[in-house]
Amino acid sequence: MVNNFIQQLFAQRIGGNLFGKDTVLYKFEKIKRAKRAAIAKNPGMALIDLGVGEPDWMAEPEVVEILYNQAKQKENRGYTDNGIQDFKDAAVSYMESVYQVTGLDPITEVNHGIGSKPILALLPLAFINPGDITIMTVPGYPVMGTMTKALYGEVLNLPLLEENAFLPDLDSLTAEQRRKAKLLYINYPNNPTGVTATKEFYEKVVKFARENEIIVVADAAYASLTFDGEKPLSFLSVDGAKDVGVEIHSLSKAYNMTGWRLAFICGNELVVKGFAAVKDNNDSGQFAAIQKAGVYCLQHPEITEKTALKYSRRHDMLVAALSSIGFSVRKPKASFYLYVRIPQGTRAGRVFNSAEDFSEYLITEKLISTVPWDDAGSYIRFSVTFEAKDLEDERRIITEIKQRLSDVDFVF
């Protein structure tokens, strides 16, 4: 590419005049390249992809049919701006029936988004000025922090540590940090740890937010994917939560609709209003036919329950397989993620200096793809959303994982 004047005009937030010239590879690009190389090197061996963070099932046939029929309706052809009222009404009813969150106003306290990622990306535009702080948890989903930095705000990362049950230590923040903070991002059930929050933790968050005048943004993308007796828990079900924050729900994970791009934000009226104002200047709303298909989904939470049973079953099998090899691993109570501390190395002399190192080893030597996290200790994330035709195929894949790892004498 010719190095012309355009190269000098890129914004600093994406690298300035060095945009496109950075030789540092990001984690997920490294994984993609390692996967391609491993497949090319081992053409007769199938890659087992446990790194994909999206459902393997399609949306329910009834949902697809609604999309098809609604897409043919002339009244659905136009912009929806801040959403159709039917979807907002369904979201309010869903919050009450699944999470026992009552009293949400379907006009002023809920809005749709084109997926939860854009909601998280747009919220800083409504609140962050240069020098303001967004409190994030690591490891975690970084988009809200990325946008905060783009607005010349600061990101303060709180580590999720095993000794603290993978909950952030809010007490570790200094008075100055609390004073400058405007947004606190939490995500439970958590990606990547799979840990669920407790009511007591949410009560502490509400108290912290009220005392320090900080807005809570609760990312509940996996909140309904619970099992083994764990009930879906909403941040907004705690007394006072709506006074200090909002919650974001996604249809991507709960209803196998990742590519459909549909979510909603609900809670504090002013926060929702601020989001709506920013959103109105950034997009023209999700296609009405998709929102109407979403209405059906929100009225049928049994779809999510069926999906959660599949993930629970797969977790059982994967945990048993990894435990038999020597990994110290515990089944999560929700989500499709399994967060596992890496071994130190192998008896043969291989040393794993980081999760990224171990993840690369699994791809290149065993054709098993995972996602590494070195933010707060060295762990890898397994996802049980691997492609499988049926229960027998699930068992075959888990057996294959166990066989590929069993010939290695890991040191833990």
Side-chain angles (χ1 to χ4, degrees):
M1 182 181 296
V2 177
N3 187 14
N4 58 21
F5 73 94
I6 295 174
Q7 186 69 48
Q8 308 305 314
L9 303 183
F10 285 108
Q12 288 299 321
R13 66 180 62 91
I14 64 168
N17 61 11
L18 295 179
F19 172 75
K21 297 182 177 182
D22 194 345
T23 58
V24 177
L25 293 180
Y26 294 101
K27 174 168 61 179
F28 288 99
E29 180 58 30
K30 287 183 180 180
I31 292 172
K32 289 178 184 178
R33 294 190 183 191
K35 283 163 65 172
R36 288 195 295 266
I39 292 170
K41 184 180 176 182
N42 302 276
M45 191 175 182
L47 176 80
I48 300 176
D49 198 339
L50 302 179
V52 178
E54 61 182 71
D56 55 306
W57 279 354
M58 289 184 62
E60 294 294 299
E62 297 87 346
V63 181
V64 176
E65 189 67 20
I66 291 170
L67 172 65
Y68 171 69
N69 289 327
Q70 291 296 325
K72 293 187 290 183
Q73 304 304 312
K74 185 177 182 180
E75 65 267 23
N76 291 333
R77 74 191 187 283
Y79 299 129
T80 65
D81 297 323
N82 273 319
I84 63 173
Q85 193 57 48
D86 285 351
F87 181 74
K88 297 177 184 180
D89 292 341
V92 169
S93 297
Y94 171 80
M95 291 300 295
E96 183 168 356
S97 63
V98 175
Y99 299 98
Q100 293 74 57
V101 174
T102 59
L104 285 171
D105 188 318
I107 296 176
T108 62
E109 295 179 341
V110 63
N111 208 324
H112 88 297
I114 307 180
S116 58
K117 186 175 184 178
I119 296 176
L120 290 168
L122 290 175
L123 276 171
L125 285 170
F127 296 101
I128 297 298
N129 292 317
D132 291 338
I133 287 178
T134 293
I135 304 169
M136 302 285 294
T137 54
V138 290
Y141 197 50
V143 63
M144 199 165 154
T146 302
M147 286 303 298
T148 294
K149 291 179 181 178
L151 296 168
Y152 301 101
E154 301 175 23
V155 174
L156 195 155
N157 290 321
L158 289 179
L160 301 180
L161 303 174
E162 197 165 355
E163 56 264 32
N164 198 35
F166 296 113
L167 299 172
D169 182 6
L170 300 176
D171 296 330
S172 66
L173 297 169
T174 68
E176 177 69 6
Q177 290 168 337
R178 297 175 192 218
R179 185 187 66 78
K180 294 174 64 177
K182 280 190 175 179
L183 301 174
L184 166 62
Y185 170 84
I186 54 175
N187 164 226
Y188 292 95
N190 182 255
N191 172 16
T193 69
V195 166
T196 55
T198 62
K199 184 179 180 180
E200 292 72 24
F201 170 71
Y202 281 154
E203 288 172 341
K204 181 174 182 177
V205 169
V206 170
K207 184 174 183 289
F208 170 85
R210 183 183 294 114
E211 290 177 348
N212 295 284
E213 299 183 345
I214 296 171
I215 296 166
V216 179
V217 179
D219 177 2
Y222 307 90
S224 56
L225 290 171
T226 60
F227 30 78
D228 293 346
E230 185 82 4
K231 299 297 183 182
L233 177 64
S234 166
F235 169 71
L236 292 176
S237 67
V238 173
D239 288 344
K242 196 168 72 169
D243 296 333
V244 299
V246 290
E247 190 165 77
I248 300 167
H249 287 263
S250 168
L251 276 71
S252 294
K253 312 299 191 299
Y255 292 97
N256 305 304
M257 295 168 67
T258 308
W260 295 52
R261 310 314 301 137
L262 186 60
F264 65 88
I265 180 174
C266 59
N268 184 274
E269 179 180 350
L270 280 175
V271 178
V272 172
K273 184 177 181 180
F275 165 75
V278 172
K279 177 185 176 300
D280 206 30
N281 284 284
N282 279 272
D283 67 62
S284 298
Q286 183 54 280
F287 183 29
I290 292 178
Q291 291 186 61
K292 290 183 177 180
V295 169
Y296 177 89
C297 289
L298 295 175
Q299 294 171 343
H300 292 82
E302 68 274 10
I303 295 173
T304 307
E305 293 168 5
K306 179 179 70 172
T307 303
L309 286 174
K310 175 190 67 172
Y311 294 144
S312 178
R313 181 179 67 240
R314 291 182 177 185
H315 273 305
D316 284 332
M317 292 190 285
L318 182 58
V319 166
L322 293 174
S323 296
S324 70
I325 297 165
F327 286 87
S328 177
V329 58
R330 181 181 301 173
K331 181 185 178 183
K333 295 180 180 179
S335 86
F336 43 65
Y337 297 125
L338 188 63
Y339 194 59
V340 182
R341 186 181 290 276
I342 71 166
Q344 298 174 28
T346 69
R347 297 287 180 192
R350 178 70 183 262
V351 175
F352 302 123
N353 295 309
S354 64
E356 191 171 303
D357 187 18
F358 181 56
S359 181
E360 184 176 351
Y361 167 85
L362 289 179
I363 294 176
T364 58
E365 301 297 327
K366 301 299 176 182
L367 263 75
I368 297 173
S369 178
T370 61
V371 175
W373 294 94
D374 287 301
D375 304 80
S378 294
Y379 295 80
I380 56 170
R381 189 193 77 185
F382 293 92
S383 176
V384 294
T385 56
F386 53 83
E387 293 278 351
K389 296 187 290 291
D390 49 32
L391 176 56
E392 182 180 349
D393 200 30
E394 289 177 9
R395 289 172 175 156
R396 178 192 63 79
I397 292 169
I398 298 296
T399 299
E400 179 66 19
I401 293 168
K402 182 177 178 179
Q403 289 176 345
R404 292 187 189 184
L405 297 178
S406 293
D407 64 353
V408 183
D409 193 0
F410 290 111
V411 177
F412 294 95

